[in-house]
Amino acid sequence: MIKTRSAYTKQIKQLDGHVSVIGQAVVEDIENTAKAIGDGNKDAAQETIDGHDSFERLHRNVEDTCMTLMLLQQPMASDLRLVTASFRAISDLARIDEMAYETALLTEEIDLTVPKELADLLVSMADKAATMVRQAVVSFGNGDVADAEKVFEEDDALDALYEQVRVKVIEYLKNGTESATAAPEFLSVAKYFERMGDHAQSVADWSIFRATGSYRGRTMGEND
Amino acid sequence: MAESMSVKDLNLYYGDHQALKDITLDMPAGKVTAFIGPSGCGKSTLLRCLNRMNDRIEGCRVEGTVKLGDTDVYENYDVYELRRRVGMVFQKPNPFPLSIYDNVAYGPRHHGKPSKAELDQIVETTLTDVGLWDEVKDKLDHSGLSLSGGQAQRLCIARALAVNPGVLLMDEPTSALDPISTGLVEELAVKVAKEHTVIIVTHNMQQATRISTKCAFFYLGELVEAAPTAQLFSTPKDKRTEDYLTGRFG
Ligand SMILES: Nc1ncnc2c1ncn2[C@@H]1O[C@H](COP(=O)(O)OP(=O)(O)OP(=O)(O)O)[C@@H](O)[C@H]1O
Ligand SMILES: [Mg+2]
């Protein structure tokens, strides 16, 4: 429980670090799914699965911190933007992590390392998603709008990869070969990575809000 | 009818001490404008310029323009007429040592010559507007001094409103009130602003965010920043505003 103003200032400063820690964990979990799919690395998938509960706890704790700060201290100006943007950004990050977790679970049930050409596409998607999340989290910390905007530019490439997976999966299904059985799973994992990109963009939106007070072009108080 | 006020290039000196520096600010009609800033930054001083209450202070000198609507209130303006059109409510409720009825009737009696029936009507309407009528209708002849702090403040607001001013100035009107009375006065400020522009000084940031649409931050006699309230409190442009709002001053 925060009481005094000096404790408040400390907690505000720590919040920045919390968001960055959560972001780092999410990036690692996405990278683990790439290892599981690309190299059949079971340990990597297991690491993400084992870490899931503690990630959830971390997320809830930081969420609590944001709510407590709002309730007890009514933050204003840059503090208000930090607390509200953190609250929203960590919720996007938690959604991304949930999808990485689901993917890791899936790699335990189904072999996603073959067909190789599909596995390779998924690894590219995971790499892209991880890069976008990393960039969004960095921009959240450094307040650099140009850094945040790079995240939006990356998203087209991720969408294009998803389209490639989709076309390939349809081919496999049409041909009805042995390897077609797992094809639908490839498509759902590809969809996860594609949505991770959308959430990374949302984090980038909150980075910009935190830095400028403007969310998707709308500034508070502008239309009053 | 609500009127706008504006000041331009306003400088004010108490003797050698310059208390306001080059203030230029518009206060739109029909809205609540809030002044915030640390103690001694000149909020009350500026508020007093708006109805020339500083005229009474020895050694006080004002340069620049203060306008009510389009008229400069420092040029050929009848000060009594100005104070009718620009009313004032103070931090400490200061009912006159008269009956509740006469506190409200005081202004209207001096402006125009209303009949007894008209006066009764004004008293009832105004006390109803400030939410005091039901509480005092059976004791209108009691002294205004017999009311509680919160009631007395609403009586003072009624007294100011009874002459139908275009602007109502309020200098920390709730700082001596409990949370419930504070809430009532805030509701009232928002409600009356449509007909009587409200300009309020407050040290309570949440109050400024709750009731004002425009907010001005002052520091050491300067107007640092004025903006729509939500914008000022979420994204101030000046570092001094930022530091004040986040409590990182000094
Ligand atoms: N009558 C006066 N004679 C001389 N100096 C004055 C007078 N009234 C105010 N001052 C000075 O002018 C400056 C601004 O005072 P003012 O009362 O306007 O501040 P304020 O922002 O309303 O502060 P607070 O929040 O404490 O009410 C202060 O330095 C004050 O000492
Ligand atoms: Mg004052």
Side-chain angles (χ1 to χ4, degrees), chain A residues 74 76-79 81 212, chain B residues 205-206 233-235 242 248:
Chain A
Q74 292 97 33
M76 286 183 174
S78 61
D79 292 348
R81 303 201 305 276
T212 66
Chain B
M205 302 295 160
Q206 268 68 39
F233 283 95
S234 64
T235 321
E242 170 76 34
R248 311 271 205 294

Side-chain angles (χ1 to χ4, degrees), chain B residues 43-45 171-172 201 203:
Chain B
K43 306 176 295 293
S44 300
T45 298
D171 196 348
E172 301 185 46
V201 171
H203 277 291

